Amino acid sequence: MISRRTLLARSAGLAAGLAAAAPVLTDDGLYSEPWFLESFLILAEDLEAAAAKGKRFAVMWELKGCPFCRDTHLVNFADPAIAGFIKDRFEILQLNILGGREVVDFDGERLSEKGMAAKYRVRGTPTVQFFPDASAGLESRAPAEREVFRMQGYLQPKDFRTMFAFVADKGYERGTLGDYLKAQG
């Protein structure tokens, strides 16, 4: 099921003739990147599809009117080096923290986006949840134990890219993001 927001964003990108078009502000008030994941909103399937492409799966939570969400798109994703790095390594599913679309969680529970945000205790935007390489066993874990890492709030471009590198490199298995940032210089 393709949402109206996704369809509008894709159409705008095609109309402009640009595969890497600028983000589109959709009628629900969220910016959408043309390369974000188109999804039936079944998280286990999205994670497995990302893994089959050799990519990691992440959920990016946003909110209409959030200035930090806007900056994530207009500053961070606007940098071709950052966007290219992320597109090559991640599938990003954008969800609205107050949204009403139905999402199927790893445990099979069907919830609205708002209900899913509450279940995972997502309270601010932007928040990016990163999940492991495979969905096996996630259904039996508590929601907080399903994530391998979480970004809460806005990060400046350099740290934002480094955070994605931290997850891509599985740095969370060796230490904290702070340790990883220090090692990167």
Side-chain angles (χ1 to χ4, degrees), residues 6-113:
T6 301
L7 182 60
L8 289 172
R10 301 290 184 253
S11 298
L14 291 173
L18 302 171
V24 174
L25 183 60
T26 62
D27 61 353
D28 64 357
L30 299 181
Y31 285 93
S32 180
E33 298 294 331
W35 48 270
F36 276 178
L37 179 64
E38 292 184 35
S39 171
F40 289 109
L41 304 178
I42 303 170
L43 298 185
E45 290 180 7
D46 290 339
L47 190 154
E48 292 304 326
K53 294 178 184 176
K55 295 183 177 189
R56 299 299 301 266
F57 176 65
V59 173
M60 183 169 176
W61 293 92
E62 299 188 58
L63 174 67
K64 177 181 180 178
C66 167
F68 300 112
C69 299
R70 180 197 65 228
D71 288 351
T72 298
H73 290 275
L74 300 181
V75 178
N76 296 8
F77 288 139
D79 182 327
I82 293 172
F85 180 87
I86 294 169
K87 286 190 309 188
D88 289 346
R89 292 165 180 82
F90 291 87
E91 291 284 356
I92 307 291
L93 174 62
Q94 181 184 44
L95 295 178
N96 182 341
I97 196 170
L98 298 177
R101 294 182 298 163
E102 183 180 82
V103 183
V104 180
D105 197 2
F106 295 105
D107 58 13
E109 184 177 9
R110 295 175 178 273
L111 299 157
S112 67
E113 292 167 285

Side-chain angles (χ1 to χ4, degrees), residues 91-163:
E91 291 284 356
I92 307 291
L93 174 62
Q94 181 184 44
L95 295 178
N96 182 341
I97 196 170
L98 298 177
R101 294 182 298 163
E102 183 180 82
V103 183
V104 180
D105 197 2
F106 295 105
D107 58 13
E109 184 177 9
R110 295 175 178 273
L111 299 157
S112 67
E113 292 167 285
K114 183 178 179 179
M116 184 73 67
K119 180 177 181 176
Y120 280 89
R121 296 186 173 154
V122 175
R123 295 189 173 100
T125 57
T127 293
V128 181
Q129 295 175 283
F130 296 94
F131 295 94
D133 293 337
S135 63
L138 289 182
E139 70 280 354
S140 62
R141 295 185 198 166
E145 295 171 1
R146 295 175 185 158
E147 302 171 23
V148 295
F149 188 72
R150 177 184 286 208
M151 178 205 86
Q152 298 181 107
Y154 179 75
L155 292 178
Q156 293 296 319
K158 180 182 178 206
D159 292 341
F160 185 74
R161 187 213 177 273
T162 302
M163 178 207 47

